[in-house]
């Protein structure tokens, strides 16, 4: 990736965990990343890289004063959607029935961020780039390839995201994926949306990150050896072979070997 992502496109992901170093060890070993705890002025935020390019962030769960939250927040990957006007986007969130969980804030000269929840309860970040555009590599082994919203109200989610960002939603035309909804920017699929009823009871609305891997089965086995768990064992689906995994601290993510390129950027 060279240059900023088009507004509405997933551009970055990061993980908040109780044990940052353990998470760095797990993902660096599993996906071939490089990463270390960052400087104190950024709260130790770690920017993980692949081939020298940024691919994901990992941070320790902490309060603004540096203390440990009680209770600890859930370990989750957060998807960030690109915007060229974060203040305007955040204002439109409340107008569209969403909730602002963290208002726009500067991240040094890197950009501005915010965290919101859509009307169905799914949490997602917003990113307005400064000197940092987001993921520098996508669609390669170990890198982000897809971001997917799972929600109990597809029409409400479609209306919400289309009202706050320049995205449209369309039913997939891929054979075998009938009923799957694509988020599109300028006519190009940049993410997906599926019905929560397809998942086990009790799973909340959420955004999920997918990493491309050369062998889903090998990565699944490696994740288990490293203390991770399998939420959905490797299976073949319309655009490739995938599995849903969780790291040892409970952070869920998907891995996929795509046979049809699904490019988020």
């Amino acid at each position: 990736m060279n240059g900023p992502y088009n507004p509405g496109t997933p551009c970055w992901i990061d993980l908040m965990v109780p044990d940052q170093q353990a998470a760095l060890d797990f993902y660096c070993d599993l996906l071939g990343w490089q990463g270390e705890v960052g400087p104190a002025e950024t709260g130790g935020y770690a920017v993980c890289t692949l081939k020298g390019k940024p691919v994901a962030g990992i941070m320790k769960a902490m309060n603004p004063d540096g203390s440990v939250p009680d209770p600890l927040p859930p370990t989750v990957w957060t998807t960030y959607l690109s915007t060229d006007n974060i203040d305007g986007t955040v204002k439109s969130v409340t107008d569209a029935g969403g909730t602002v969980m963290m208002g726009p804030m500067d991240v040094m000269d890197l950009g501005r961020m915010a965290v919101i929840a859509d009307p169905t309860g799914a949490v997602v970040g917003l990113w307005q780039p400064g000197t940092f555009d987001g993921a520098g590599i996508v669609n390669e082994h170990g890198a982000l390839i897809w971001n997917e919203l799972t929600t109990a109200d597809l029409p409400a989610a479609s209306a919400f995201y289309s009202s706050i960002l320049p995205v449209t939603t369309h039913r997939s035309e891929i054979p075998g994926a009938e009923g799957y909804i694509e988020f599109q920017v300028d006519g190009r699929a940049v993410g997906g949306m599926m019905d929560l009823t397809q998942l086990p009871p009790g799973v909340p609305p959420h955004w999920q990150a997918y990493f491309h891997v050369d062998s889903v089965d090998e990565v699944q086995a490696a994740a288990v050896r490293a203390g991770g768990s399998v939420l959905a064992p490797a299976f073949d689906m319309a655009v490739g072979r995938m599995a849903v995994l969780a790291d040892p601290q409970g952070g869920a993510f998907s891995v996929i070997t795509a046979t049809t390129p699904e490019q988020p950027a």
Side-chain angles (χ1 to χ4, degrees):
M1 281 301 302
N2 295 294
Y5 287 74
N6 291 334
T9 306
C11 62
W12 187 243
I13 50 168
D14 63 21
L15 178 72
M16 181 180 288
V17 287
D19 189 333
Q20 183 187 27
Q21 187 60 58
L24 284 166
D25 293 343
F26 175 82
Y27 286 100
C28 288
D29 288 346
L30 188 72
L31 298 174
W33 298 348
Q34 295 76 48
E36 59 185 24
V37 176
E41 56 264 31
T42 62
Y45 190 96
V47 176
C48 300
T49 61
L50 181 68
K51 301 179 182 178
K53 301 290 187 180
V55 289
I58 296 179
M59 58 184 158
K60 180 178 176 62
M62 66 173 68
N63 293 318
D65 62 2
S67 61
V68 177
D70 184 17
L72 283 168
T75 298
V76 293
W77 280 100
T78 298
T79 290
Y80 289 80
L81 306 177
S82 185
T83 174
D84 56 6
N85 178 8
I86 199 165
D87 296 280
T89 301
V90 167
K91 181 182 183 301
S92 67
V93 166
T94 53
D95 294 341
T99 303
V100 178
M101 303 185 69
M102 185 177 73
M105 61 175 286
D106 293 325
V107 184
M108 300 183 292
D109 65 346
L110 300 174
R112 283 168 61 75
M113 67 168 288
V115 180
I116 65 171
D118 68 31
T120 77
V123 175
V124 68
L126 300 171
W127 180 253
Q128 179 181 329
T131 60
F132 183 76
D133 294 323
I137 292 181
V138 293
N139 307 338
E140 295 186 18
H141 175 82
L144 184 69
I145 189 172
W146 194 244
N147 299 76
E148 182 178 82
L149 170 65
T150 303
T151 175
D153 193 332
L154 298 175
S158 296
F160 174 77
Y161 290 99
S162 296
S163 67
I164 69 167
L165 291 165
V167 300
T168 55
T169 54
H170 302 269
R171 289 194 176 276
S172 175
E173 297 180 358
I174 297 173
E178 293 80 4
Y180 190 79
I181 305 296
E182 294 178 355
F183 286 107
Q184 295 187 0
V185 172
D186 296 331
R188 187 163 177 262
V190 298
M193 181 167 53
M194 62 180 285
D195 197 317
L196 191 62
T197 58
Q198 298 181 46
L199 298 185
V203 176
H206 64 280
W207 279 84
Q208 181 97 326
Y210 283 64
F211 299 109
H212 176 72
V213 296
D214 294 334
S215 171
V216 168
D217 297 84
E218 290 180 8
V219 169
Q220 175 179 290
V224 172
R225 288 195 301 269
S229 55
V230 178
L231 304 181
F235 64 97
D236 295 316
M237 36 81 84
V239 297
R241 185 165 177 80
M242 66 168 287
V244 185
L245 309 174
D247 63 42
Q249 299 180 71
F253 61 100
S254 294
V255 292
I256 185 171
T257 303
T259 53
T260 298
E262 295 293 357
Q263 301 177 340

